């Protein structure tokens, strides 16, 4: 794979054989983010779990103290008083059957997160095939199926992110933007790592954090020292 000059210049700053402390890694990832847009900073983790076993699934959410730097559009599927609550809480789109029909008939996906009340899940179930692959299906484990819409919307708008291992036991999670101050990126990173470590399944054996890398959208990966988070 061929890389551009900016990428190659950034790669020269990084010792691929070294495991960096969080502060060093954050400084490097900011320095290596040279694109003309505000690049997203992402943490990539490989965990010592076997996702094929239900008791070794690692999934959860955490509110980053300094947010993600991204404006998130929230769709709420609810009726009556709960719909009114969602509007008051700042949801971008609120509806019930009308919103479901819009997604079905118009292939509309003008939102980033879908939240629903439990009573609406029977209707939303028919959207599983289209929402599921896009990671937009409401789920109690991610806090997007709830009666407390005010809190759910507030958390999402404040910077709640979901971490979830794929079938290869790898998770990719945003921790902020390249424009963030270094101390804010580092705090977001530490809060996220703490949450993942606390989510370690009891049945997981051996080394839990196998590897951890920090990278910007267009920049090279920087290997973190997992021991600095434990």
């Amino acid at each position: 794979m061929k890389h551009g000059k900016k990428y190659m210049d950034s790669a020269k700053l990084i010792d691929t054989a070294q495991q960096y402390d969080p502060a060093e890694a954050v400084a490097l990832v900011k320095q290596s983010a040279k694109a003309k847009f505000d690049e997203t900073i992402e943490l990539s983790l490989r965990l010592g779990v076997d996702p094929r076993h239900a008791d070794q699934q690692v999934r959860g959410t955490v509110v980053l103290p300094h947010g993600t730097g991204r404006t998130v559009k929230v769709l709420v599927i609810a009726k009556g008083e709960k719909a009114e609550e969602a509007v008051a809480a700042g949801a971008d789109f609120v509806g019930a059957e009308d919103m479901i029909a819009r997604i079905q008939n118009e292939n509309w996906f003008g939102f980033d997160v879908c939240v629903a009340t439990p009573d609406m899940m029977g209707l939303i179930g028919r959207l599983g095939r289209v929402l599921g692959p896009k990671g937009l299906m409401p789920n109690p484990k991610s806090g997007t199926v709830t009666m407390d819409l005010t809190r759910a919307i507030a958390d999402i708008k404040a910077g709640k992110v979901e971490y979830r291992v794929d079938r290869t036991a790898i998770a990719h999670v945003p921790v902020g933007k390249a424009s963030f101050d270094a101390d804010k990126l580092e705090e977001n990173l530490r809060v996220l790592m703490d949450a993942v470590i606390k989510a370690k399944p009891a049945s997981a054996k051996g080394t839990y954090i196998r590897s951890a890398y920090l990278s910007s959208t267009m920049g090279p990966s920087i290997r973190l020292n997992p021991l600095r988070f434990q």
Side-chain angles (χ1 to χ4, degrees), residues 47-61:
L47 303 182
V49 297
D50 187 347
R52 293 175 299 177
H53 301 294
D55 61 352
Q56 292 194 40
Q57 290 284 337
V58 178
R59 179 179 185 177
T61 60

Side-chain angles (χ1 to χ4, degrees), residues 64 71 126 166 192 194 211 213 217:
L64 300 180
T71 300
R126 69 183 72 162
D166 60 19
L192 174 57
D194 285 347
S211 64
Y213 288 85
T217 305

Side-chain angles (χ1 to χ4, degrees), residues 113-227:
V113 180
C114 181
V115 180
T117 51
D119 59 298
M120 296 302 297
M121 288 307 293
L123 292 174
I124 297 175
R126 69 183 72 162
L127 299 176
R129 290 184 179 180
V130 292
L131 294 182
K134 294 180 179 292
L136 295 172
M137 190 68 180
N139 190 300
K141 292 183 179 179
S142 62
T144 50
V145 177
T146 178
M147 291 298 287
D148 192 351
L149 296 177
T150 299
R151 179 176 179 179
I153 294 166
D155 284 349
I156 292 167
K157 293 285 188 179
K160 184 170 80 169
V161 294
E162 181 179 8
Y163 55 88
R164 181 182 185 182
V165 293
D166 60 19
R167 69 179 98 185
T168 62
I170 293 174
H172 301 281
V173 194
V175 295
K177 293 287 187 177
S179 60
F180 281 21
D181 291 340
D183 58 340
K184 291 182 178 180
L185 272 176
E186 187 178 348
E187 188 175 357
N188 276 359
L189 175 62
R190 288 188 179 278
V191 168
L192 174 57
M193 286 294 293
D194 285 347
V196 173
I197 290 169
K198 288 178 182 176
K200 178 182 179 180
S203 58
K205 306 299 181 184
T207 304
Y208 179 51
I209 306 293
R210 295 285 178 85
S211 64
Y213 288 85
L214 204 61
S215 63
S216 62
T217 305
M218 303 297 290
S221 297
I222 300 158
R223 191 173 186 181
L224 290 159
N225 183 351
L227 296 178

Side-chain angles (χ1 to χ4, degrees), residues 4-15 28-35 39 216 218-220 222:
K5 184 178 183 299
K6 289 182 180 179
Y7 181 97
M8 297 305 296
D9 288 343
S10 295
K12 293 176 183 177
L13 303 171
I14 301 161
D15 182 353
L28 276 173
V29 81
K30 283 177 62 64
Q31 190 177 354
S32 64
K34 298 180 178 180
E39 297 181 56
S216 62
M218 303 297 290
I222 300 158

